[in-house]
Each structure stands twice: as structure tokens, then as C-alpha cells.
Amino acid sequence: MSDDSRPSPSGVRTAAVIPAAGRGVRLGPGAPKALRALGGTPMLVHAVRAMAASRAVSLVVVVAPPDGAGEVKSLLDAHALPERTDFLVVPGGDSRQESVKLGLDALPPEYEIVLVHDAARPLVPVDTVDAVIEAVREGAPAVVPALPLADTVKEVEPAGTPGRPEAVVATPDRARLRAVQTPQGFDRATLIRAHETVTDNVTDDASMVEQLGLPVVVVPGHEEAFKVTRPLDLVLAEAVLARRRLTDGF
């Protein structure tokens, strides 16, 4: 096993921000999605461990529900986390965008690369995390891991009533489309500028960088970095985790 206490090879420090302030209504009532158990451990803990698994990540900032920072800190304290990585919990805001900004505000100045990772993607492999970081180190201001689409995609005219038939407008070329995952990686100054400039409600941080007119590049994602949103996703995540424990001693 490698010596995890060594500094990252590039000397550039990397931090990860995990916004975990949402409720996750599509998984049904109960605890916030990030605190749902996966293999007996909260998904948030899996996501934190996934970021800390990279030798390049020396700080993980978890953005908790506005009134739940104490609870989240106690949760992290109760689980084994890598000693070489620092952890910080800060209260979040009313939106994901606001929560990421609050996580950015909490970063010490020496961190030049920032990852933003969904708490609901608990099983992203470390190779994917490292690939994103490496692409930022090589000069990309924003990097997203993504997968080609298996399904044909149709653009439709949305129905006024959910469940009603919708008219197809176009069929985009599937070869040019990608399904985006996290962690997304950024040059810190670029991400801060994006959050200070873009006020639209966006679904991911890379979209904000796109609105600045700066390049965003894609690196290969991984099928196990899927987002746990619906009950069926939780079943699949349990199966992936069980296989890892059998084959990798995870």
C-alpha cells in the first residue's frame, strides 16, 4: 500500500465540497436522502469516503442542512474516516447553488482545486475522482465526468398535465450527448467567479462556468457513479456495495 501521508505529487492542494442540505423527496418521506443508510452506513459517509479515497484530496467540506450541521458533524465523527484528510461541516442554504457557495466560502485560501460532489453519488470510484483532478491540473478550468447514453433521446414539447402524451420535437444525435456525473472539478478562482456572476437556477456547477464562456471538458465517468434518487437506485447501490465487499474487501 502506498504512503498516504505524502503530499499530492503536483503540490497543488485539492478540496472537495459535498452539498448535502437537500431533502431528497423522490426517495420518499423520512430522513434526508444523504442520511439514508446504504449497507448500514449513511450515503453521505460513503460519499465523503469516496472523496477522501483520493490521495490528492486533503480537505472535505460537507454542507449540511441549515439547522443540521451539529447532527451531520456527529454523524461523521461516529464513522471511521481517513486520518490524513481534514473534514469540515458548515450549514447550507435554501438551494444547492447557495449551499455550494457557502462551502466555497469555508475553504482556506491554499486550496486551488475544488471538487463539487453529489452526496447522492456514494459509490464513485477513486479512479474517476483522480481523473477529474488531473484534468484540472493540466489546465482545464472545469471538468465533468460523464458517460455516453445507452438510450435514444427525444426532445419533446412538455405536456401541460403530467402523464399526458407529449409531441416529439427532435431526436438529437446520441453520439454527441453525455450523461454528466460528479465530482465536477474546477480551478477555484473560476468556480468562485461563476458563483459570483451567474444568478440563474442551474442544475450543476459546470453550467455556470459555461455561462462565463469558459471551456468545460469531459473525462470518462463510471457506471457505479450513478445518482441514488429513487428506491430502485438504492437497491442497485446495495448490490454494488455487496459485490465490492465480496471482491475487494471494501
Side-chain angles (χ1 to χ4, degrees):
M1 182 175 290
S2 62
D3 178 7
D4 286 338
S5 65
R6 292 178 297 174
S8 67
S10 73
V12 177
R13 304 199 73 181
T14 301
V17 175
I18 302 180
R23 298 297 304 179
V25 293
R26 279 175 286 180
L27 269 180
K33 178 166 58 179
L35 304 186
R36 297 295 180 89
L38 172 59
T41 300
M43 276 201 292
L44 175 60
V45 173
H46 287 287
V48 169
R49 287 173 175 166
M51 296 299 98
S54 170
R55 286 185 53 244
V57 175
S58 52
L59 172 66
V60 177
V61 177
V62 177
V63 188
D67 58 352
E71 177 187 0
V72 170
K73 186 175 187 312
S74 296
L75 184 77
L76 295 181
D77 288 343
H79 291 82
L81 299 172
E83 292 183 1
R84 62 179 170 78
T85 307
D86 292 329
F87 302 93
L88 182 63
V89 178
V90 298
D94 294 330
S95 69
R96 182 186 184 281
Q97 196 168 339
E98 185 180 351
S99 291
V100 172
K101 176 63 165 58
L102 290 167
L104 275 174
D105 290 344
L107 292 181
E110 63 266 24
Y111 289 92
E112 300 176 42
I113 296 175
V114 181
L115 305 179
V116 180
H117 183 57
D118 293 332
R121 296 184 191 270
L123 300 177
V124 57
V126 68
D127 287 350
T128 303
V129 181
D130 287 340
V132 170
I133 295 169
E134 186 60 30
V136 180
R137 284 178 178 162
E138 291 176 351
V143 180
V144 297
L147 292 175
L149 298 182
D151 299 317
T152 296
V153 176
K154 301 288 185 183
E155 181 183 352
V156 302
E157 185 64 41
T161 304
R164 296 294 300 164
E166 298 174 319
V168 172
V169 175
T171 304
D173 179 4
R174 187 174 68 186
R176 296 176 60 87
L177 301 177
R178 298 291 182 269
V180 172
Q181 302 175 325
T182 70
Q184 299 185 356
F186 304 90
D187 166 73
R188 177 185 180 154
T190 298
L191 186 57
I192 289 174
R193 179 182 160 204
H195 274 270
E196 290 175 343
T197 306
V198 178
T199 57
D200 298 345
N201 188 19
V202 295
T203 56
D204 73 342
D205 296 271
S207 299
M208 302 171 72
V209 175
E210 289 176 51
Q211 291 189 41
L212 295 180
L214 297 173
V216 176
V217 302
V218 169
V219 297
H222 196 281
E223 61 184 5
E224 292 181 3
F226 61 90
K227 192 172 187 177
V228 179
T229 301
R230 303 157 300 178
L232 185 59
D233 300 326
L234 199 55
V235 174
L236 179 58
E238 292 280 5
V240 170
L241 190 59
R243 178 193 55 75
R244 285 187 183 182
R245 285 171 170 164
L246 280 174
T247 60
D248 305 332
F250 178 81

